[in-house]
Amino acid sequence: MMPELLSNTLGVRCEADRVAVIRSVADAQDVVRNALERGQRVQLLGGASNVVLLPRIRGTVAVVRNRGIERLSDEGRWVAVRVAAGEVWETFVQWCLHNDVPGPENLTLIPGSVGAAPIQNIGAYGVEVSAFIETVEAVDLDSGELIELSAADCAFSYRHSRFKEDANFLITAVRMRFDRERAPSTSYPGVAADLADHTPQGVADAVRSIRRSKLPDPQFIGNVGSFFKNPVVSREDAAKLAGSIPDLVTYDTAQGCKLAAAQLIDRAGWRGVRRYGVSVWDNQPLVLVNDGADSGEQFLRMAQDIRADIHHRFGVVLEREPVVMGET
Ligand code: EPU
């Protein structure tokens, strides 16, 4: 059996024993059941834009590519849609902009697929996708059965959900509901300043221009976006840290004070540093870019160096954001 290469936005090398492209729910169930018969469990990939692939994956990787955007109901204020997991997230955002469906415009230009959106609860510029999700349809990897999870079942929080912890589901579709009476979200620093008009298209344009100025386009420069989550610390720890970083950025959350990992990495002098073929992106030091790396291990090594330094200097632990898949 010839191993198959898996493309990914980091641009690193990864071979899987088997790759199964999923184009329908029936495909998904077949692949899951076939793997179960061999005593295996499939591993899952959407757009491969938020994953660090290591050189080798044993067993089958299911690449989800089913398509379809369906308007389930549209009654004045509320619009409900069902979107196949394999749709490209940005295609869906554009569909919303062209079909008078407001809400996801702040999430424009996020790479990846619709099915991956609930996994890390994608969020940017003041909006998280969990605000819209009603249910998630998935194939249970233990049984091959099609099930539906409610938003509560998904346990969404900042950059997190149940799907990140128990990899038990192959997501096949996401049902979302949008409110036409909801005011556009323009509170994130920079969005209002860039706003030409208060329409979803105006917000999308503002977000696109901010993203383009800060973030490398994964089509041209290998990256998975933020490599770390913004850390949440106690108010006392944040106050202590403000002693050494006077303009410390903090956001109050129910769990404590959220800090800007980018600022800590920046202040520690990592901006633009290159090691192991990996560079810290100049305009947003939360992003690590491929600068000659061949293996996901090189990214993990760089991330470990940064993590250790930030811990040593500031006593703050940075948690990795993308998922790691495979082995060396
Ligand atoms: N900052 C610095 N130095 C820098 C860059 C930023 O000090 O070189 C400080 C700035 O002062 C700024 C703060 O860091 O106030 C936060 O920066 P930014 O507004 O760019 O947002 P972020 O918290 O770093 C998060 C998401 C991004 C998302 C933006 C906008 C995480 C881990 N990342 O970044 O997500 O686009 O907010 O909402 O929460 C991604 O996941 O790939 C991603 C880019």
Side-chain angles (χ1 to χ4, degrees):
M1 184 173 37
M2 280 282 286
E4 297 194 55
L5 279 174
L6 285 170
S7 75
N8 60 94
T9 66
L10 270 191
V12 293
R13 195 176 32 81
C14 173
E15 288 180 346
D17 289 344
R18 221 171 293 106
V19 175
V21 179
I22 307 285
R23 301 207 185 272
S24 65
V25 173
D27 275 359
Q29 290 184 293
D30 282 350
V31 169
V32 169
R33 287 184 171 140
N34 286 338
L36 284 173
E37 277 165 22
R38 283 195 301 269
Q40 292 177 346
R41 179 188 273 252
V42 291
Q43 301 194 60
L44 306 167
L45 215 50
S49 58
N50 200 46
V51 58
V52 179
L53 294 178
L54 296 178
R56 188 86 182 115
I57 297 180
R58 312 250 165 235
T60 303
V61 175
V63 179
V64 182
R65 290 281 182 271
N66 59 333
R67 293 288 150 100
I69 303 175
E70 194 185 336
R71 207 188 288 248
L72 297 173
S73 64
D74 191 343
E75 292 152 17
R77 177 168 178 181
W78 299 101
V79 193
V81 296
R82 177 174 181 276
V83 190
E87 284 288 348
V88 172
W89 174 259
E90 179 63 12
T91 304
F92 173 61
V93 173
Q94 291 301 323
W95 181 91
C96 290
L97 287 169
H98 292 126
N99 287 277
D100 184 28
V101 177
E105 56 274 2
N106 297 60
L107 305 178
T108 185
L109 286 189
I110 295 182
S113 64
V114 167
I119 298 176
Q120 67 145 314
N121 183 19
I122 57 169
Y125 303 99
V127 172
E128 292 184 351
V129 73
S130 54
F132 312 118
I133 294 179
E134 286 206 301
T135 65
V136 169
E137 297 173 15
V139 174
D140 185 324
L141 295 185
D142 284 331
S143 65
E145 297 292 321
L146 188 63
I147 55 159
E148 195 165 356
L149 293 116
S150 70
D153 288 337
C154 298
F156 293 118
S157 60
Y158 165 67
R159 302 266 152 165
H160 199 70
S161 75
R162 167 182 190 169
F163 305 111
K164 260 193 155 176
E165 256 160 42
D166 78 24
N168 226 22
F169 307 100
L170 188 167
I171 296 174
T172 52
V174 181
R175 286 180 186 238
M176 287 171 271
R177 190 167 81 138
F178 301 97
D179 179 359
R180 289 209 174 89
E181 285 175 20
R182 166 187 168 280
S185 174
T186 58
S187 58
Y188 197 89
V191 174
D194 252 348
L195 211 58
D197 64 277
H198 274 262
T199 60
Q201 187 62 56
V203 173
D205 290 343
V207 169
R208 293 170 80 85
S209 98
I210 301 172
R211 288 190 72 99
R212 288 199 167 118
S213 70
K214 287 192 183 182
L215 298 170
D217 183 340
Q219 268 199 303
F220 307 107
I221 299 169
N223 76 89
V224 287
S226 303
F227 210 92
F228 302 101
K229 293 183 189 180
N230 284 332
V232 177
V233 301
S234 69
R235 287 190 181 82
E236 299 77 62
D237 285 350
K240 251 187 262 160
L241 208 54
S244 46
I245 305 178
D247 58 347
L248 187 74
V249 177
T250 61
Y251 305 92
D252 250 334
T253 73
Q255 289 73 38
C257 252
K258 197 196 271 182
L259 307 176
Q263 185 181 39
L264 304 181
I265 298 168
D266 181 15
R267 292 312 144 86
W270 283 95
R271 189 198 281 266
V273 171
R274 178 176 186 274
R275 282 185 194 172
Y276 322 119
V278 175
S279 289
V280 178
W281 188 243
D282 262 318
N283 295 335
Q284 170 47 292
L286 201 46
V287 179
L288 304 183
V289 302
N290 193 329
D291 205 355
D294 177 49
S295 164
E297 293 165 284
Q298 291 164 275
F299 278 86
L300 297 185
R301 246 190 282 160
M302 179 61 150
Q304 185 46 39
D305 287 2
I306 295 172
R307 206 176 120 95
D309 185 48
I310 298 300
H311 185 241
H312 174 73
R313 281 174 197 262
F314 305 121
V316 175
V317 177
L318 293 183
E319 213 182 303
R320 191 185 57 241
E321 210 249 87
V323 173
V324 177
M325 237 172 104
E327 51 197 84
T328 53

